[in-house]
Structures are given as C-alpha cells and as structure tokens.
Amino acid sequence: MVHKKKAFLLSILAFTQIKLFSQNLEPVADLELPPLQEMVEDLTQTLQKAAEVLPEQKQEAEPDEEYTKIYTVVPEAKRYSVGLSGMNHSLTKKFRTQYLKDTGKAQLTAILYDSLPYRPYIRQQLKAKKMPMIIQYLPIIESNYKIRAVSRTGATGLWQFMTNSMSPFLKKNTWYDERLDPWKETDAALNKLLDNYKMFHNWELSLAAYNMGAGAMTRILKKHPGKDFWYLAEHGYLPAQTRDYVPKLIAVADVIENAEYYGVLEIGIADKAIETHAVEKYEYVTVVGMISLEQISKLTGIERSVLDFLNPSLLKKCTPAGEKYSLRVPSGTSEKVAEALKKADVATDALIYIVKKGDSLWSISRSYGLTVDDLCRANNIKEISILRINQKLVIPVFK
C-alpha cells in the first residue's frame, strides 16, 4: 500500500514537470530535489489539502463498482457526493465515461484553467446565497467558461442568456450587452436559479428549468405531479437537451471533485489551482457620454488590457453616448481615475433635462455653463440636430 501511495505521489510530480515545461519554466528534473522520504511526506501533506472538499460536499458517496474496477488509481481513495441525486444513474454514467476518456480529460482540464478569473466570484456568491456548490460547474455545460460564447440560437455569455430571457436581470443596447459581463451575468443566473428553486423546491428540477424554461417545466409537472427529475427523464417527458443537462452537470462535478478516486490527476490539479486565485476586486467610476477605453487608458495610466478585462460588455470599446455609465476600474483607483477624467473635461456625473418649447442646444448649454460641443458629445448628436419637445438630454456635470 505504501508503494502505491509513493507511486501516486510521484505521478503528481511527473505531471508537475510537464506543466512547468509547457509554461517555459525550469523543469523539476533540473532542480536539486530533497530526499525521497521527505519529498513523499511533503507531497502527502499537499495531497491531503488538495483532497479537502467544501463542508456542503463532505458526505461520502456510494462507490460505483464498475468504475472502481476500471478507473481507481488509489484503492483507499474515497468518493464524495456532489450534492445532487443520480451520481450512479445510467444517464450520468454515460457522460462520466466521456469525461474520463483522454479527450474528455483534456477538455475538462483546459476549461478549469479558463475558469480561474471568474469561478472565485461564482463560488463566493454561491456560499453567500447558500446555494449548492455544484452550480460553479454549470458554465462548463453552458459555455465551456467562455464569456463571449454564442450558441446557434443566440444564447450569449458564460451562463448563456437568450435576449428574451434577460429581463429583469440584464440590459442590452447598441453600446453594451451585459450578458458578456461575467460578474453581472453570474448575479443574473444565480437569481434566476433561486427563483426556480422557490417554484420547484428541488435543485434537479430547478436546474432543468434553467435549461428549458420555468414555464415549460411547470406545465410538465402539472401533467405529472409529484414526479422527480429522474422519473421525467426516464419516461421521455423532457426534451432531449434537458434530459441530458442535469446528468452532464453531475458527471462533470463527480469527475472534478473525485479526481483522486478516478485517477485523473491533471483534472484534480487544474481544479485546485483556484485556491491561488482571489475574487476579482474592482470599483466603479461614473462616465457621462462617449469616450473610448483607449482614451481612458491614456488619461489614467491604467493598462488598456485591464480596462478591457473589467468592462467586457462594452460592444464598441467605449462608454455609451447619451447616458451615465458605471465604468469598472481596478480596486483602489476610482478616486484617481475620477480626478484624471475631470481634468480632461470628461464628466463624471450628469442629470437629465427634458426639452421644452423654445429650447435650443445653445440655450440649454448656456443655462448649465456648458459648450454646445459638451452637450452634443454627451448625447451623441450634432450641432445642427433639431430638438423635440419632451426629448431627454443628458447634461454632463463637471465638478
């Protein structure tokens, strides 16, 4: 048994060497290694920490005899519940088998690394809302953790919202699409899932309703009262996509959280990489009118790539004309950014003016101590534009 443990731990070291080579770092083989016993003890402690699971997920699950024979590398490894029923259901097994193949393992490993900028926030919000932690893997099913993913039907973003399902959670116009914002879309998705749970009082059904729509799920349950997800799936009462949706999520979570049990070291290492990533911190600065991220970068000294990362919903890479917009900036920089923008005559506050009979751009701008150009830039109009009674204008305020 001791030899098997050492072999398992050394396999982790070998995989680490591969990862270091892939990142153009010094290979482990070139370093001066400690004695084998010390190395094994250190790696044992690391493995024990990596095997820890969240309190909500510590319940041990029944082993699956079929997979124990085929996939278990460490015989004494335990398999933990992912928090939903159906871990050993035939539908779940089908997808688990796919993810335990070489192509599936490579795909999951890559996705887990891609999730690092966003999953810490999702986990934080799930804990705060006391929701099942398995939901952190739902973007794997939805978008492979790609924030700009767009489906054939037009579903967009990390959580794949359709345009007709955005309200009241998200907004979209010519200038921005909040479905592309992983933080705002996460808030929207979790609120939608919570609404589903209040309706169905069951997480398997609530997740299925996220895929097919709460209205459609309600109609099915009216025809089959008291039935659970697995009954509906087995008897063909769900669309094929929804039938596979929940088992696929459970299979993904099972493979990731029980990576040691299944002997998929690369997935376990990729999953635990999240422990070195903190939740992204940022602040907001109000910007009035249209100004490009490139201009903001030059005025504030903030890297353009940072502004792009924090403001992915801006479709034209500039703030929207004709309205106030909350621009994300790195934590601790909001005051400096606001001051830099004001010095450059970029308004960081505004009010709304309703056009009355007899008003003109010149008279309105004069009333507020602005130039006509200030007014035109804030509202994306030209000096020769004709105003309409009751038209709303954004009045930039330069404090």
Side-chain angles (χ1 to χ4, degrees):
M1 187 67 70
V2 173
H3 294 300
K4 288 183 178 179
K5 275 193 173 182
K6 286 184 179 180
F8 176 65
L9 294 168
L10 288 171
S11 66
I12 292 180
L13 180 62
F15 179 76
T16 304
Q17 285 182 288
I18 295 172
K19 290 297 293 180
L20 289 174
F21 274 121
S22 69
Q23 297 173 9
N24 296 319
L25 299 177
E26 290 296 324
V28 173
D30 292 342
L31 301 178
E32 183 176 352
L33 295 175
L36 179 61
Q37 182 175 355
E38 181 182 340
M39 179 178 68
V40 171
E41 289 175 355
D42 289 342
L43 285 173
T44 300
Q45 293 177 4
T46 302
L47 182 61
Q48 288 172 344
K49 290 181 180 178
E52 291 178 359
V53 293
L54 296 166
E56 297 92 334
Q57 300 169 317
K58 272 196 169 182
Q59 183 178 356
E60 193 171 342
E62 288 294 323
D64 186 324
E65 296 299 328
E66 173 189 346
Y67 283 82
T68 300
K69 292 176 183 177
I70 300 173
Y71 290 108
T72 302
V73 172
V74 182
E76 66 271 30
K78 294 181 180 180
R79 182 180 182 226
Y80 293 99
S81 169
V82 298
L84 296 183
S85 63
M87 283 178 67
N88 290 334
H89 194 280
S90 58
L91 287 171
T92 307
K93 286 183 179 181
K94 178 181 74 171
F95 292 109
R96 189 166 62 218
T97 298
Q98 292 177 11
Y99 284 112
L100 287 172
K101 291 179 179 178
D102 288 344
T103 53
K105 289 188 289 185
Q107 181 188 23
L108 267 188
T109 300
I111 293 172
L112 286 169
Y113 283 118
D114 287 342
S115 77
L116 293 178
Y118 315 112
R119 196 152 59 102
Y121 179 78
I122 294 172
R123 286 158 58 102
Q124 179 195 67
Q125 295 305 304
L126 289 172
K127 290 178 184 178
K129 296 176 184 294
K130 299 181 179 178
M131 298 173 69
M133 293 304 294
I134 190 175
I135 294 173
Q136 68 182 294
Y137 306 118
L138 198 57
I140 295 178
I141 311 304
E142 290 286 351
S143 64
N144 288 338
Y145 260 100
K146 303 294 185 185
I147 68 170
R148 293 193 172 274
V150 180
S151 74
R152 287 177 295 177
T153 58
T156 300
L158 209 63
W159 298 89
Q160 291 288 281
F161 271 73
M162 296 287 289
T163 302
N164 60 8
S165 65
M166 292 173 63
S167 180
F169 306 107
L170 299 165
K171 297 178 182 178
K172 175 189 173 186
N173 62 20
T174 303
W175 302 93
Y176 55 80
D177 185 344
E178 291 183 341
R179 294 178 297 173
L180 299 173
D181 187 313
W183 300 282
K184 288 184 178 179
E185 199 185 30
T186 290
D187 293 342
L190 299 192
N191 286 334
K192 194 169 188 177
L193 283 163
L194 279 176
D195 286 347
N196 288 353
Y197 188 72
K198 290 174 185 176
M199 294 175 65
F200 305 114
H201 309 287
N202 173 277
W203 278 112
E204 290 86 354
L205 291 175
S206 300
L207 287 160
Y210 184 87
N211 176 256
M212 68 182 296
M217 178 60 76
T218 299
R219 290 190 291 272
I220 289 175
L221 290 175
K222 281 184 178 179
K223 294 180 181 178
H224 309 283
K227 302 303 182 182
D228 66 5
F229 169 83
W230 300 104
Y231 178 90
L232 298 176
E234 290 165 2
H235 289 79
Y237 297 135
L238 299 174
Q241 185 186 66
T242 305
R243 177 200 65 205
D244 293 342
Y245 189 76
V246 175
K248 189 181 292 186
L249 173 64
I250 295 170
V252 164
D254 186 13
V255 171
I256 293 172
E257 296 189 354
N258 293 301
E260 180 188 354
Y261 178 84
Y262 293 114
V264 284
L265 306 183
E266 60 269 53
I267 291 176
I269 292 171
D271 178 45
K272 296 306 174 185
I274 198 173
E275 294 173 2
T276 64
H277 282 69
V279 177
E280 190 69 38
K281 294 182 179 179
Y282 47 77
E283 297 173 353
Y284 289 97
V285 172
T286 301
V287 179
V288 181
M290 184 174 60
I291 181 171
S292 71
L293 294 181
E294 183 65 28
Q295 288 174 289
I296 294 171
S297 175
K298 289 177 180 177
L299 290 171
T300 63
I302 297 173
E303 291 280 346
R304 168 65 190 276
S305 59
V306 173
L307 292 173
D308 284 336
F309 173 75
L310 291 176
N311 299 278
S313 63
L314 290 174
L315 301 174
K316 301 178 186 298
K317 301 301 180 184
C318 64
T319 56
E323 63 178 279
K324 295 166 64 173
Y325 186 80
S326 294
L327 181 79
R328 280 204 193 96
V329 295
S331 180
T333 67
S334 59
E335 290 186 10
K336 180 186 75 172
V337 170
E339 188 62 32
L341 293 177
K342 287 171 185 174
K343 284 182 179 178
D345 289 332
V346 177
T348 53
D349 200 356
L351 54 88
I352 302 297
Y353 179 82
I354 300 177
V355 175
K356 302 188 295 293
K357 185 178 180 179
D359 280 337
S360 66
L361 288 174
W362 182 83
S363 63
I364 295 170
S365 61
R366 188 182 178 102
S367 298
Y368 289 97
L370 305 171
T371 66
V372 173
D373 184 59
D374 290 333
L375 201 55
C376 289
R377 281 192 295 110
N379 291 277
N380 195 30
I381 58 178
K382 297 179 180 179
E383 291 188 24
I384 59 174
S385 298
I386 299 174
L387 300 180
R388 304 183 309 274
I389 294 175
N390 294 325
Q391 179 180 350
K392 293 181 179 179
L393 292 178
V394 174
I395 307 298
V397 178
F398 299 90
K399 295 182 179 179

